[in-house]
Amino acid sequence: MALTLLRGIRTPTLLRANFSLLCTTQRHPLAHFTTRAESVQTTEPKAVPKSIQQATKEAAEQKIQGFESVIGIETHVQLSTITKAFCSCPNNYGSQPNSTVCPTCMGHPGTLPVLNAKVVECAVKMSLALNCKISMTSKFDRKQYFYPDLPKGYQISQFDIPIAEKGYLDVDIPVEFGGGHRRFGVTRVHMEEDAGKLLHSESGSYSQVDLNRAGVPLLEIVSEPDMRSGIEAAEYGAEIQRLVRYLGVGNGNMDEGSLRCDVNVSVRPIGQSEFGTKVEIKNMNSFSAISRAIDYEISRQILLYKESQADQIVQETRLWDESSQKTFTMRKKEGLADYRYFPEPDLPEVVLTGEYIDEIRNLMPELPEAKRRRYENIGLSMQDVIFLANDDKVAHFFDSTLEHGTDAKLAANWIMGDITAYLKDEKLSIDESKLTPLELSEMIAYIKNGTISGKIAKEIVVDLIAKGGTVKSVIEEKDLVQIADPAAIEAMVDQVLTDNPKQLEQYRAGKTKLQGYFAGQVMKASKGKASPVLLNKILGEKLKGSC
Amino acid sequence: MPPPLQAHRMLLSHRRASPIPRRRFTAVSSLSSAPAKTLAPGPPASSILSIRESLLSGERTAADITSEYLSRLRRTEPSLRSFIHVAAAAAEREAEELDRRIASGGRDAVGPLAGVLVGVKDNLCTASMPSTGGSRILDGFQPAYDATAVRRLREAGAIVVGKTNLDEFGMGSTTEGSGFQVTTNPWDDSRVPGGSSGGSASAVSARQCVVSLGSDTGGSVRQPASFCGVVGLKPTYGRVSRFGLMAYASSLDVVGCFGSSVFDTATILSVIAGHDKMDSTSSSHDVPDYRSDLASLSLLESKPLNNVRIGIIQETLGEGVDAGVISSIRSAASHLEQLGSVVEEVSMPSFSLGLPAYYILASSEASSNLSRYDGIRYGQQVSADDLNEMYGDSRANGLGHEVKMRILMGTYALSAGYYDAYYKRAQQVRTLVKKSFEEALGKYDILISPAAPSAAYKIGEKTNDPLAMYAGDIMTVNVNMAGLPALVVPCGFVEGGSAGLPVGLQMIGSPFSEGKLLRVGHIFEQTLPDLSFVPPLLADD
């Protein structure tokens, strides 16, 4: 048995000899298993590389030159169910090849699919989040093509009656890219199963099939062709990733292939109503890659238009190459693929009830768009809003902090500033931090009432993230209470002035900038605990008096 | 050990006399030339019951019974070729194991099918034996698991004696389409046993095993049952799990069974029926004990079928149907009338529409279901220089002619631009067929028809004329399209062979009315005068 499972295709030079073969089989996403050059996705708006900004600018310039681009996206979202979509194999990423397989997901004779109810639940959640119209009755269909990673010779998918249709997605464009709010249409959401992977030997002389991924549940989300630039497309993708994570239906990791975006790009002269010839781009492993690939492709197509070579824009699939920052032809489409869809006879229709949907709707968390609007309404800047709502864990931490009555702007500053910086250095996520929202709010309160200084707080917060505990205990333990006794500060000021007669002399001679030096010395003497407000007040008075 | 003759007599002996006066059906022209009827007259008794009784009484051992069947199998198999794989040693081992359990007092632990030798159609997966579906592409393939129906039989104590021959993946009506061998009809070895479950029908007919499993997509249990003179049951779609049945046309496929009596068939159904979490299309409908309604003959009243309304489908007794078959069915109808039922003719105008629609739907689904046989994960692979060539050569080499033809037809019917004209249209016809059955079954408890337009024909007769072979499925395909249960019971003979050729009566019921069909079938079978359906092949026994 094991031999059968692990048997590779004993065909010499499978892939190399058959690059053209992939054209004719019209295999869906070849890019599933190709290299992953860039693994870190940049959803965080602040970290978007300069090159995107540059590319976006260029794209914008080209638009001014009389063209506009039209972009649509197909997103595949792997669902993190415990078991696969149609069998009870574990749905694990990164297991030994062919270790999470069974006769059903290997397409053995006589096996039948049985739908995992959790897949429907995830699909309904995602459809609601995408503001879709949910089909009370939908069905599965077979999409047929031959490829070694497709065990049954067909993929169980949904064709003419998907689980949901006609939705939309609201996105806020980051401030650095010009900002603004966009609404992109969602054509449909459907459930399907993933295929396996081919592992090609280094020599290229044979290929092996790993079926661990075969049968893993996917949602395919198809957008309307509503995007006009790389950054819009990247933001659409990032928002889908946020939804996936907020809803907990998947991990949305692009580097594991848990979230995959295939993009269709066409350009047309402004004023032309019909679309130009569309080109599909695959193999983008981050949102920034999506943005760059699209902007490259737009420039390429516009250039062809301008050189009167628009006929060279053909319907094809191109791959994004990270090293050269260009797209290359993977295969030209010879007419439309005929997948010979027909209703899957092994599965009954998926029939939902109103109660079922309501139950799911009632358990939905607050979604990123609602959060952003709420944060906007409490007066945070758009930059803060986008940052905080980007990660549901961060947003949850922020919201919990606010529940303790903390000022929103102060909480946001701490979270976006010291806390994020420290977590980033330590490669931790906010839920791995030992700092609780309660303690953050306590700490902010201590600053406000003068017990500790902001400077001291910066030390305390690091302590709390790393070790936990209460602000109070850290303050007591380290004796960090702010010195707010004017007499004590005055004594320290006197001492510093006495100890630095030279500087005092210079001050008196008009070098008033030295007030900062004295303040620093007093602060040092107080081990940072002196109240800065009091210190400055007393020091100022003393210096004035001494003149 | 008792001599074979005695053993055989026990197996086929009738223990009760019929209270119904015997009547000769003079309408059956070939009766006088059919010596079989005089060979072992009387209604068939349940082999399963007698095995159980003799095991529990200590009269015989399981090893004894197994060796009786195996020796008959060895004797008849060279001419019949019913089996692709015979697991004689395993069967003997299991029988001995059973004897040890009985001897050590574990009688309570003995399942309802203890010691019953079962033949399993080779498109049903068995973990302990190769399963080829009759296809060269699966030559040597051994599944990782038992089909649900097989597992349930084993759990009930049955001993799987081997895997029976079939038309490749169930596609054919003669078993000549097997990738391995041609099975012959026990009544005449120059004739086909029918198909596609020809091996299963032939094996039960020749008593190579007690009962057998088959599958029925368009008549593959019922037509061979009719050709071989055994009882064949096609249950309601979803009544028996399809898990482990190599799919031909998923929306039509059902696992069915064969027995030499209605009682045996009912026993098997009781064991294999029921919901299976591995098959989403299997039904949760209650499974009754299908034997409980099968009263022994002595308990029957004189008109046991009082209040049963039977419709005889007009369209099945017209042009293209053998005169001998028609007269057998008409005699059967009058016998049913004698038993108290009301028999009327009913017209189903959509009946002839079913056949072309069936071939479109079945081929379409087949073209998809057989895609998995690509030589990559299992089965026969042909090495080639590129992937397409490897696919092409493996499938060209491994799949037979008829299978390729149906894959091509189905691929065509599902292609863009043709889908609406073929697949979708055929689905509409399917709805019509379903409705017309619903209507007719609103008026009648049971509909009857022949199981095939003729009795068994000669080997090779229709191999070059697929359309003629397809036309032979006219009696059965509609039932699959409507998902209904149907029982075929031997009812008469037509001329042919040395002893006449059996003809089967098809009884069709509403969904999940197997109990009713089996009750009527049992009464019919037990009261059928002077006909015995033991093939001449066994005359020497």
Side-chain angles (χ1 to χ4, degrees), chain A residues 243-306:
Chain A
L243 290 180
V244 166
R245 291 176 175 173
Y246 266 64
L247 294 170
V249 298
N251 65 28
N253 292 341
M254 291 183 90
D255 55 339
E256 291 176 11
S258 305
L259 183 78
R260 310 192 283 265
C261 295
D262 300 336
V263 180
N264 284 300
V265 180
S266 66
V267 300
R268 61 181 170 190
I270 286 178
Q272 182 182 309
S273 58
E274 63 267 27
F275 292 136
T277 305
K278 70 175 177 189
V279 168
E280 189 182 27
I281 319 173
K282 291 174 179 289
N283 197 35
M284 295 152 297
N285 298 303
S286 69
F287 295 122
S288 93
I290 288 175
S291 183
R292 280 177 278 133
I294 290 172
D295 291 336
Y296 170 83
E297 183 59 23
I298 293 170
S299 316
R300 188 186 72 86
Q301 291 186 19
I302 289 177
L303 196 66
L304 286 170
Y305 255 109
K306 283 185 178 163

Side-chain angles (χ1 to χ4, degrees), chain B residues 289-305:
Chain B
D289 182 348
Y290 293 106
R291 297 167 306 180
S292 59
D293 270 354
L294 310 186
S296 96
L297 212 50
S298 54
L299 297 175
L300 289 181
E301 30 179 320
S302 63
K303 299 277 184 194
L305 295 184

Side-chain angles (χ1 to χ4, degrees), chain A residues 4 11 18 106-107 109-110 142 151 338, chain B residues 145 244 368-369 377-378 384 386 416:
Chain A
T4 313
T11 314
N18 292 297
M106 287 193 294
R142 292 184 182 176
D338 186 358
Chain B
Y145 68 101
S368 174
N369 282 329
R377 296 165 311 284
Y378 47 80
D386 75 33

Side-chain angles (χ1 to χ4, degrees), chain B residues 472-537:
Chain B
D473 297 337
I474 181 85
M475 302 296 176
T476 46
V477 292
N478 287 296
V479 175
N480 296 77
M481 300 266 276
L484 303 174
L487 178 71
V488 168
V489 181
C491 71
F493 287 94
V494 296
E495 211 159 334
S498 62
L501 299 169
V503 172
L505 170 71
Q506 175 173 234
M507 305 181 185
I508 305 161
S510 299
F512 303 104
S513 67
E514 285 86 352
K516 190 193 283 176
L517 295 177
L518 290 163
R519 191 178 80 87
V520 174
H522 174 72
I523 292 168
F524 176 86
E525 162 201 84
Q526 295 296 316
T527 56
L528 196 64
D530 286 349
L531 295 178
S532 166
F533 292 93
V534 178
L537 181 80

